[in-house]
Amino acid sequence: MDGPGLAERLAAVKAQLPPGTALVAVSKKRTVAEIKALYNLGHRDLGENYPQELRDKQPLLPADIRWHFIGHLQRNKVKYVVPHAHLVHGVDSLELLEELDRRASALGRSLDVLLQVHIAREETKHGFLSEELQAFLATSASERFKALRFRGLMGMASNTTDRQQVLSEFQGLAELYHRIRSSGLPGLEQFNLLSMGMSGDLDLALAAGSNMVRVGTAIFGER
Ligand SMILES: *Cc1c(COP(=O)(O)O)cnc(C)c1O
């Protein structure tokens, strides 16, 4: 095949990131060999969407990989994710927080989570509504979940060619993130991650202030 290889594509993505931006390489539907090749280039942060896929791949790959769970998580699949996850990005309900806390406590571990906010106009996307989330956090919610650490917010913009709309959705999420950070609420001392941006809208997410991007296609090629 012609075209740039994995190392070149990884370098090209990294070149777009301001210093301090975390890069999660999205490895859903990629083989263990593909992931190993990225690992051999020195990359350690990988993102998976499907609980069973994470469970199955994790034991076949080096133990120092930091696995990010970025997909929509159902309560009954939490058990596959909690033992392996470094950070869970898509936490979108109270019920899910409760189950993550319960499972993490049972394993005697603490678990970092990002709260997903519904910023897109599409019904199919998940997440808390902005007002709902602020009200929830104002009840010192983060202190109720002893095994969880609330680390920040995650969002997905609308799947549209209207770049202005995507930018304004990301800007709205960034505003909410800064509002929460400056709220001084207890339990949010380490609330410092804003996960937004994928291959198609990376530049817009960075322009809006993302400090963690989740990139699959631009690194691994088309799925
Ligand atoms: C698949 C996926 C990505 C990466 O998408 P690409 O377009 O391949 O970069 C990022 N975030 C989430 C939540 C995803 O499901």
Side-chain angles (χ1 to χ4, degrees), residues 207-220:
S210 168
N211 63 18
M212 179 171 266
V213 296
R214 310 174 309 269
V215 179
T217 312
I219 294 174
F220 287 106

Side-chain angles (χ1 to χ4, degrees), residues 5-213:
L6 185 64
E8 287 75 17
R9 290 192 303 261
L10 176 64
V13 170
K14 281 188 179 173
Q16 297 176 57
L17 306 179
T21 310
L23 173 61
V24 178
V26 176
S27 53
K28 64 183 176 207
K29 299 185 182 158
R30 307 294 174 178
T31 63
V32 165
E34 286 176 285
I35 298 172
K36 196 70 201 293
L38 191 71
Y39 179 90
N40 289 338
L41 294 170
H43 201 74
R44 295 293 178 269
D45 287 277
L46 275 293
E48 287 286 339
N49 278 62
Y50 306 102
Q52 288 96 329
E53 204 178 321
L54 172 59
R55 177 200 61 188
D56 295 346
K57 282 174 175 172
Q58 187 277 339
L60 305 175
L61 284 153
D64 62 341
I65 288 178
R66 291 182 291 266
W67 292 103
H68 296 246
F69 189 80
I70 64 170
H72 178 60
L73 186 54
Q74 289 166 324
R75 278 183 60 131
N76 61 347
K77 305 283 172 62
V78 165
K79 58 180 177 288
Y80 301 135
V81 169
V82 169
H84 311 300
H86 167 72
L87 178 65
V88 179
H89 289 231
V91 182
D92 59 3
S93 73
L94 190 58
E95 293 70 34
L96 188 53
L97 283 165
E98 282 166 355
E99 183 65 8
L100 286 163
D101 189 55
R102 198 174 73 76
R103 292 276 175 183
S105 301
L107 293 179
R109 68 162 295 185
S110 65
L111 182 65
D112 284 3
V113 299
L114 301 181
L115 301 166
Q116 184 169 357
V117 184
H118 191 280
I119 56 170
R121 292 192 197 156
E122 294 148 27
E123 293 289 326
T124 52
K125 299 247 160 74
H126 300 276
F128 290 99
L129 300 177
S130 171
E131 312 78 56
E132 183 187 30
L133 184 61
Q134 290 181 87
F136 167 65
L137 290 173
T139 64
S140 297
S142 60
E143 294 196 308
R144 289 214 301 274
F145 303 101
K146 299 290 179 218
L148 304 183
R149 249 193 326 241
F150 286 29
R151 294 299 311 277
L153 300 182
M154 179 268 204
M156 293 176 81
S158 296
N159 185 13
T160 170
T161 54
D162 184 345
R163 288 172 49 85
Q164 191 52 50
Q165 185 187 332
V166 171
L167 180 63
S168 79
E169 289 174 0
F170 283 146
Q171 286 168 335
L173 184 60
E175 234 170 76
L176 177 63
Y177 166 75
H178 289 295
R179 206 175 314 141
I180 293 170
R181 266 172 67 76
S182 60
S183 67
L185 287 168
L188 298 181
E189 292 75 17
Q190 294 183 79
F191 196 90
N192 57 11
L193 298 173
L194 180 55
S195 169
M196 56 184 195
M198 359 203 282
S199 298
D201 53 24
L202 188 61
D203 57 329
L204 299 174
L206 292 169
S210 168
N211 63 18
M212 179 171 266
V213 296

